[in-house]
Amino acid sequence: MTEAPQRGTMRTDGPLAARSVSIVTALPGPRAREMIDRAVQSESPSLIHVYPLMVKQAAGCMVEDVDGNVFLDCQAGVATAATGHCHPEVVAAIKAQAENLIHICGTDFHYPGYGALCEKLAALATRLEEGAGVASADSSGWQVFLTNSGTEAVEAAIKLARHHTGRAHLIAFRGGFHGRSLGALSLTASKSKYRKHFGPLLPGTHHAEFGDLSSLERELFARTVSPDDVAAIVVEPVLGEGGYVIPPRDFLTGLRSLCDKHGILLVFDEVQSGMGRTGKMFAAEHFGVVPDVLVLAKGLASGMPLGAIVARRSTMTWPAGSHGSTCGGNPVCIAAALATIDLLERELCDSSARVGAHLIALLREGLADQPMVEEVRGLAMMIGVEFSSKELASAVAQGCYQRGLLVLECGDRAIRLSPPLTLTPEQARHAAEIFVRTCRETHAQ
Ligand code: PLP
């Protein structure tokens, strides 16, 4: 990895958030190489490390490594840095909370933030319901349980669904990613390497074809599991790790009808697609479908470890002590979440929709004549570019890194762009320019 250094054409000095791409060493640089060589000696070999990036600091959409190279971040800490890296309002909220109360345990005690965040998320779910325009027979409102991560929130959703329905079976979809603990992993079906040597997993989990409603009735209900035994159908309304795939609208409306017909809970895993990423607070809003349980994490607290399940009051029937968490809903993470939601509501959902559409248009235009690119798809800041082979997708992802643009692969042969929602039109233009140039130069090799 010793490509000639390339310098950006925009600002290369001043505060990091206002700087532009500036690659001043071969990548990885000498300090990064030395630090990484040392670190990997004691880190778990299960970590992936998609490229040899040793981050020193980050601000807004910019990331600086330990050698002074500055990257434009279009992966946002795997879609967590919704408000941009170290947004001043989020940092201020974290600092203020850390000076007053770092931890006391929300499962056993009360503190103001826990209730405030639950109230806020419940109100957002009510707004989702009102916006969907579907009259619900259930007006009991919504309640919230807080966790430390997306995986734990998925676990909580599984447990709640089993507890509430008294049924054991679960349905998820091929291509879906729901986390890596044994329950969540049982639902995950995006890559077999995540499951290899970890079985047997949760009995009673079944997978159908994402986007194909008929596969549930044809493959599952008719042959392997009665719908009366199914507690929950768990689905990402837009597939994340599995390739940033937007399903047809009637897939999700059809799932809603199937769940209503058979008394199954519909669980939307919006760990990746939620919190403004698709230009609306929740991806569900694009489809006019209201789930029974909404699973959130990642962008919820701008990268602080926090997850949540939001479920109807009439569904949250588990009694005191049946589920809890020592650190889930930690006050500092909650402060970050409240500041994050405020920013999303004030400006960032709108700007995600606007600048995301701009970025998609620039990519479509720039890549139109690229034979290696099969599709540019997405909603706002959740953008997938499908390549004709896995090798090309990997080469372009690595090439982007070498040119100062951070992106991630997903699916079988795609690249995802999931920038901070603070991305400016100018940064979108620069990201598209680097991405298109990388594709052209990869194609020419
Ligand atoms: N669900 C979805 C849709 C995800 O994308 C992820 C992580 O990528 C998870 C669940 C697991 O979340 P976490 O890594 O926070 O445990």
Side-chain angles (χ1 to χ4, degrees):
M1 296 198 177
T2 51
E3 195 162 296
Q6 305 207 9
R7 287 171 194 277
T9 51
M10 296 157 65
R11 282 188 64 175
T12 53
D13 58 355
L16 180 56
R19 290 184 62 188
S20 184
V21 172
S22 170
I23 302 300
V24 295
T25 70
L27 294 177
R31 292 207 68 207
R33 187 185 293 276
E34 190 188 323
M35 291 170 80
I36 290 170
D37 285 349
R38 179 167 178 179
V40 295
Q41 301 305 317
S42 42
E43 294 175 357
S44 162
S46 64
L47 305 179
I48 302 169
H49 297 134
V50 291
Y51 24 71
L53 174 68
M54 180 61 86
V55 176
K56 181 176 129 199
Q57 56 180 341
C61 296
M62 307 311 293
V63 168
E64 184 176 4
D65 78 1
V66 290
D67 294 288
N69 297 299
V70 177
F71 299 82
L72 175 54
D73 187 1
C74 275
Q75 58 81 36
V78 198
T80 59
T83 54
H85 294 284
C86 302
H87 191 289
E89 291 185 31
V90 177
V91 171
I94 290 170
K95 278 186 179 163
Q97 183 60 48
E99 280 169 5
N100 284 314
L101 174 67
I102 290 181
H103 188 62
I104 189 77
C105 184
T107 296
D108 291 322
F109 308 103
H110 293 283
Y111 43 89
Y114 202 112
L117 181 60
C118 293
E119 202 175 292
K120 186 74 215 173
L121 291 175
L124 291 177
T126 303
R127 210 161 71 198
L128 162 66
E129 198 167 15
E130 287 166 359
V134 282
S136 168
D138 185 344
S139 59
S140 65
W142 298 81
Q143 288 182 315
V144 180
F145 176 82
L146 299 176
T147 70
N148 297 289
S149 68
T151 301
E152 281 180 46
V154 169
E155 290 290 339
I158 293 173
K159 286 182 69 180
L160 178 66
R162 283 188 160 184
H163 197 285
H164 176 70
T165 61
R167 303 173 179 183
H169 289 255
L170 301 160
I171 293 175
F173 295 90
R174 286 189 277 283
F177 185 89
H178 302 284
R180 298 165 181 272
S181 60
L182 288 175
L185 181 61
S186 306
L187 302 177
T188 291
S190 53
K191 294 190 176 72
S192 62
K193 71 176 176 190
Y194 299 145
R195 296 171 145 242
K196 189 175 173 184
H197 297 324
F198 292 122
L201 300 175
L202 212 56
T205 48
H206 311 264
H207 290 90
E209 200 58 38
F210 182 79
D212 178 4
L213 192 64
S214 67
S215 84
L216 271 100
E217 303 213 87
R218 199 180 57 240
E219 292 173 23
L220 300 183
F221 295 166
R223 307 212 179 278
T224 51
V225 59
S226 160
D228 296 341
D229 287 332
V230 177
I233 295 178
V234 184
V235 64
E236 293 166 86
V238 178
L239 212 53
E241 210 266 343
Y244 276 30
V245 181
I246 307 164
R249 185 189 175 93
D250 60 5
F251 174 61
L252 296 175
T253 52
L255 287 182
R256 180 67 276 174
S257 304
L258 272 184
C259 287
D260 290 342
K261 182 171 162 197
H262 298 293
I264 299 170
L265 293 183
L266 181 60
V267 178
F268 273 6
D269 180 345
E270 292 230 29
V271 165
Q272 191 149 174
S273 62
M275 311 318 295
R277 178 128 314 273
T278 66
K280 296 187 184 288
M281 189 62 82
F282 308 120
E285 293 171 57
H286 290 279
F287 304 94
V289 178
V290 183
D292 300 297
V293 183
L294 194 55
V295 184
L296 303 170
K298 284 200 190 276
L300 173 59
S302 292
M304 293 291 280
L306 186 72
I309 56 168
V310 188
R312 290 183 190 283
R313 186 185 302 275
S314 55
T315 302
M316 273 232 182
T317 46
W318 47 13
S322 56
H323 197 52
S325 168
T326 302
C327 288
N330 165 275
V332 183
C333 299
I334 285 176
L338 289 168
T340 298
I341 294 170
D342 187 37
L343 283 160
L344 293 177
E345 288 191 305
R346 251 170 38 214
E347 56 189 275
L348 292 182
C349 281
D350 286 349
S351 124
S352 165
R354 206 175 48 252
V355 182
H358 178 55
L359 179 53
I360 292 171
L362 289 171
L363 288 169
R364 284 199 175 129
E365 192 187 318
L367 297 170
D369 63 349
Q370 277 301 300
M372 64 158 77
V373 173
E374 295 192 344
E375 188 183 24
V376 178
R377 56 183 173 244
L379 289 170
M381 298 279 190
M382 193 166 186
I383 305 169
V385 180
E386 184 88 7
F387 287 83
S388 51
S389 74
K390 156 113 188 107
E391 291 66 35
L392 282 169
S394 299
V396 170
Q398 292 298 326
C400 284
Y401 157 69
Q402 290 290 335
R403 291 166 180 79
L405 178 71
L406 303 180
V407 294
L408 283 174
E409 289 180 60
C410 64
D412 293 333
R413 47 193 165 90
I415 287 180
R416 59 181 131 168
L417 289 92
S418 58
L421 310 185
T422 50
L423 193 80
T424 64
E426 176 63 359
Q427 286 171 326
R429 193 198 54 71
H430 200 191
E433 187 265 308
I434 297 175
F435 195 90
V436 170
R437 178 158 48 89
T438 306
C439 289
R440 286 188 197 290
E441 290 173 7
T442 305
H443 178 65
Q445 276 168 12

